Amino acid sequence: MKAYLSFFRIRFLNNLQYKVAAWAGMATQFVWGGMYILLYSAIYSFSSSPKPMELDQLTTYVWLQQAFLALIMLWYRDSGLFDLILSGDVAYELVRPVNLYPMWYARLLSQRLAGVLLRFAPIIIVSILLPFPYGLSAPASLPSFMLFLGTLLNGTLLTVAYSMLISISMFRTLSAVGSLTLFGILSEFLAGMVIPLPLMPESLQKILMVLPFWLTGDFPFRIYTGHIPVQEALGGIMLQFLWTAVLITAGVLWLRSIKKKIVLQGG
Amino acid sequence: MIDVNNLNKSFKVYKRKNGAFGAVRSMLRPDFEYIQALDDVSFSIGKGEIVGYIGPNGAGKSTTVKVLSGILVPDSGTVTVGGLVPWKDRKTHVANIGVVFGQKSQLWWDVPVHDSFELLGDIYRLPQDKYQKNVSMLTELLDLSDLMPVPVRQLSLGQRVRCEIAASLLHEPGILFLDEPTIGLDAVSKLAVRKFIREINKEKGVTVILTTHDTGDIEALAERILLIGKGRILYDGKFGDLKKRFRGSRTLKVHFSNTPCGIPMTGGILNSRVMENVAEIEFNPDVITASDLISYISGLFQITDLEINTMVAEEIIAGLYREYKI
């Protein structure tokens, strides 16, 4: 366990070095967040049909999405890990007396946590200062807020388990980066990152809420805004645990079967 | 210590004809063939040996090292290293081996060397006192103290290789696999690395398996060599024996203070040529030793200078490759 923690720590400190990337990312997220909010407020002001989400709930949702993007983005790939596989340097990972899966899991998790630590505060602060209903509103209640933190963390563990599957698939599909990107974009949509789940047609929502994707970001953000009341969150939390367990098990088994027929690239 | 019996490993290699037509064709019907990387390989290595594992590019050297270090699973055959099957008991096995792949890096690129070392210490679960002891020993032997706080990406190749070797020995492994450790190093670094390998072999009794293309490495380190070509072990024996086999005749070049009229023949001299005041004498060392020949000639003429050429390791290996047509 100490090995994995130590590995986590070194990656985490290492990732905190990338401050320029963080500033650039933050700028992008402000622009995206602003764009979404302008778009939704325009739509809301012209539509008279009943809204599935209040405008201030929606803007809060969008800002949380932008602030915690590093934790929830599904298309994200660790290029270092990909290089490791492509160049055959993964050989060194295999001559260590540790298990590959938890080591890589620690690596991916540290990257996301470092990424969010560098970015979230400025976005939160600026979005709080924006006038109502364009800014980040306070959480629905204290329990909502606590539950939001818990489910966001759970969601991150789920996201990393998902990213692990993408990384492991790299062993099999060395150059299929294009199709992986396409898959990433599709899962973003399924997670409600393009259009929040409540704004989707009801029938589609029913399907998506069985899949794991929405549990990463959509679920905790809606708990924060009170769109999902605290007392109705239990099912989602159980689903989070269930899907995380399923994805981790799948990843461990897949990696085990791949290790048996591994081919190292580049001599 | 290491026992390898009838080891086989093949790889699938995709082939594609060049040009657009070839690309389309390979999409529809990918062409591939199996390359036998290891073909019925058997050998055994005792504790404390240094074995040079040589062969041309693509002969199967690295594949063998990767099987022995538990990374690759062979198609068939048995391997035990210290009683363990590398790919089955991978975690226990790798705790007792150190590996350096000359062309890859095990140090973390962006962090200082000592951070990488500390992480390795944790990965191998080294107690703090043991870790400190090993780090200070390796730092001293490999002269790393100035390099410890430097991020790995800013090290020169020679410096990095020294750190890589130290990293592979932090956990006191009983076996060290070196896959082309001196590749790309300058003369000074090469000598330093070789000296260090000899030292840890002598003092700690570390078994060393060294793959290399640098015959200087072999000459300086390996008493025993394994020659592999096209996946088969072709020669397994002492490097000294090989030298004798390929030596045949040797040549003595003598400079005289004045021009001799000719070299009188004696037993063992095969041929001689005199040009002005230099003579080249080809002799058979099994009949007359170099020192006997020199004293014979110095009794006849005034010698100002001598050169004697031995067949260099490079030529022996090349001769071996030619002999086995690999």
Side-chain angles (χ1 to χ4, degrees):
Chain A
M1 196 60 199
K2 194 182 170 206
Y4 305 118
L5 281 176
S6 170
F7 187 70
F8 175 84
R9 193 185 55 108
I10 196 168
R11 298 295 321 177
F12 184 71
L13 293 176
N14 191 22
N15 285 316
L16 284 181
Q17 288 178 58
Y18 303 121
K19 296 185 192 80
V20 177
W23 282 108
M26 228 153 22
T28 319
Q29 278 147 36
F30 274 122
V31 173
W32 271 109
M35 241 170 55
Y36 270 122
I37 287 165
L38 288 177
L39 184 72
Y40 287 129
S41 50
I43 294 170
Y44 269 54
S45 63
F46 284 111
S47 149
S48 52
S49 55
K51 322 278 187 307
M53 237 176 155
E54 296 304 320
L55 185 59
D56 65 302
Q57 278 185 336
L58 192 59
T59 53
T60 299
Y61 181 102
V62 168
W63 285 125
L64 288 175
Q65 213 174 41
Q66 298 305 320
F68 295 103
L69 193 68
L71 295 184
I72 57 172
M73 53 189 175
L74 292 165
W75 49 268
Y76 180 77
R77 290 189 308 256
D78 179 358
S79 55
L81 207 52
F82 275 32
D83 291 344
L84 219 57
I85 295 172
L86 280 174
S87 67
D89 279 2
V90 68
Y92 269 128
E93 309 263 300
L94 290 166
V95 295
R96 306 283 175 229
V98 289
N99 289 319
L100 207 53
Y101 189 93
M103 188 148 84
W104 283 7
Y105 192 96
R107 179 191 177 115
L108 294 180
L109 184 63
S110 74
Q111 211 153 23
R112 286 181 184 271
L113 290 180
V116 86
L117 205 70
L118 281 172
R119 281 160 231 224
F120 86 101
I123 297 178
I124 296 282
I125 292 166
V126 172
S127 58
I128 284 176
L129 297 176
L130 291 175
F132 184 86
Y134 303 109
L136 179 76
S137 313
S141 67
L142 186 65
S144 294
F145 182 67
M146 301 306 285
L147 203 59
F148 155 73
L149 291 180
T151 50
L152 184 63
L153 184 70
N154 260 349
T156 305
L157 298 179
L158 177 60
T159 312
V160 176
Y162 175 82
S163 299
M164 279 298 292
L165 288 178
I166 298 282
S167 301
I168 295 166
S169 75
M170 219 24 213
F171 271 117
R172 306 308 298 269
T173 55
L174 286 174
S175 54
V177 175
S179 54
L180 283 180
T181 308
L182 201 69
F183 197 64
I185 292 169
L186 180 69
S187 46
E188 291 278 279
F189 176 79
L190 301 177
M193 298 278 288
V194 184
I195 307 165
L197 233 58
L199 304 190
M200 291 183 184
E202 201 119 341
S203 51
L204 186 58
Q205 277 189 49
K206 271 192 190 124
I207 299 170
L208 294 189
M209 282 173 74
V210 184
L211 298 176
F213 306 101
W214 75 290
L215 297 162
T216 58
D218 186 86
F219 178 59
F221 300 153
R222 275 156 68 193
I223 291 177
Y224 179 99
T225 60
H227 192 267
I228 297 178
V230 172
Q231 55 274 20
E232 284 171 31
L234 186 68
I237 295 169
M238 299 304 282
L239 211 54
Q240 272 186 330
F241 282 122
L242 184 73
W243 270 115
T244 309
V246 167
L247 295 189
I248 288 180
T249 312
V252 169
L253 292 178
W254 196 11
L255 192 59
R256 193 178 295 165
S257 87
I258 280 177
K259 269 199 315 217
K260 283 190 194 133
K261 41 198 166 188
I262 208 167
V263 176
L264 293 169
Q265 310 297 319
Chain B
M1 188 99 200
I2 300 177
D3 277 299
V4 177
N5 286 304
N6 312 103
L7 191 64
N8 285 289
K9 174 84 190 170
S10 60
F11 291 113
K12 207 179 191 179
V13 175
Y14 287 90
K15 303 227 152 174
R16 199 177 98 184
K17 294 217 172 65
N18 58 353
F21 180 72
V24 172
R25 216 190 92 137
S26 74
M27 267 170 68
L28 299 173
R29 205 167 64 91
D31 250 348
F32 55 82
E33 59 177 308
Y34 286 96
I35 302 278
Q36 195 75 23
L38 295 177
D39 187 358
D40 204 26
V41 168
S42 304
F43 57 85
S44 70
I45 293 172
K47 190 170 163 37
E49 274 194 89
I50 299 187
V51 177
Y53 198 33
I54 57 170
N57 292 319
K61 300 187 298 292
S62 297
T63 305
T64 313
V65 169
K66 280 164 192 157
V67 170
L68 288 179
S69 49
I71 302 170
L72 293 180
V73 182
D75 301 339
S76 67
T78 60
V79 177
T80 54
V81 180
L84 298 171
V85 178
W87 60 93
K88 285 196 179 135
D89 315 297
R90 189 184 69 85
K91 268 169 71 181
T92 334
H93 167 67
V94 295
N96 189 39
I97 63 166
V99 188
V100 175
F101 298 111
Q103 306 188 56
K104 306 183 193 304
S105 181
Q106 64 183 316
L107 302 164
W108 282 266
W109 202 239
D110 301 306
V111 301
V113 177
H114 55 63
D115 284 8
S116 271
F117 281 10
E118 253 169 54
L119 177 54
L120 287 171
D122 286 342
I123 285 177
Y124 286 100
R125 298 180 185 86
L126 294 181
Q128 196 55 33
D129 52 333
K130 199 169 168 187
Y131 169 78
Q132 288 300 347
K133 200 189 87 203
N134 291 350
V135 168
S136 56
M137 181 202 76
L138 290 165
T139 307
E140 196 195 310
L141 282 177
L142 286 162
D143 192 20
L144 302 177
S145 47
D146 293 341
L147 310 179
M148 292 299 265
V150 181
V152 174
R153 64 186 137 86
Q154 289 177 332
L155 296 178
S156 75
L157 180 66
Q159 293 169 331
R160 207 195 78 206
V161 169
R162 267 149 57 206
C163 295
E164 297 276 352
I165 292 176
S168 67
L169 288 165
L170 279 174
H171 56 291
E172 297 179 25
I175 305 171
L176 182 61
F177 294 104
L178 299 168
D179 195 0
E180 302 186 33
T182 57
I183 197 165
L185 296 189
D186 64 30
V188 180
S189 309
K190 265 185 196 172
L191 290 177
V193 166
R194 286 176 195 157
K195 180 165 163 272
F196 174 76
I197 295 171
R198 262 199 312 273
E199 273 170 26
I200 55 136
N201 169 258
K202 267 216 188 89
E203 283 169 25
K204 308 249 161 190
V206 176
T207 311
V208 181
I209 290 111
L210 171 82
T211 81
T212 185
H213 289 296
D214 190 324
T215 45
D217 290 347
I218 302 281
E219 184 125 70
L221 293 170
E223 278 194 359
R224 175 178 166 199
I225 61 165
L226 281 169
L227 171 73
I228 187 171
K230 293 183 184 146
R232 291 165 182 272
I233 295 282
L234 299 172
Y235 179 85
D236 179 356
K238 288 212 168 101
F239 189 53
D241 292 349
L242 208 56
K243 258 188 191 165
K244 270 189 209 141
R245 195 159 123 206
F246 279 91
R247 190 166 56 181
S249 66
R250 294 170 78 181
T251 309
L252 178 72
K253 204 172 177 183
V254 196
H255 296 253
F256 302 105
S257 56
N258 47 11
T259 311
C261 46
I263 307 293
M265 292 301 271
T266 181
I269 295 184
L270 301 170
N271 203 354
S272 68
R273 259 188 318 170
V274 183
M275 291 160 293
E276 307 230 341
N277 56 345
V278 182
E280 274 185 15
I281 305 160
E282 205 184 326
F283 66 100
N284 181 347
D286 293 333
V287 180
I288 185 166
T289 64
S291 68
D292 285 350
L293 182 65
I294 292 166
S295 61
Y296 166 70
I297 294 183
S298 67
L300 299 168
F301 306 103
Q302 189 78 29
I303 298 177
T304 54
D305 199 9
L306 283 171
E307 284 169 50
I308 188 154
N309 66 22
T310 356
M311 202 163 181
V312 289
E314 213 105 281
E315 293 168 50
I316 296 174
I317 306 283
L320 206 54
Y321 287 5
R322 264 198 306 278
E323 190 180 306
Y324 289 108
K325 296 190 180 65
I326 52 173

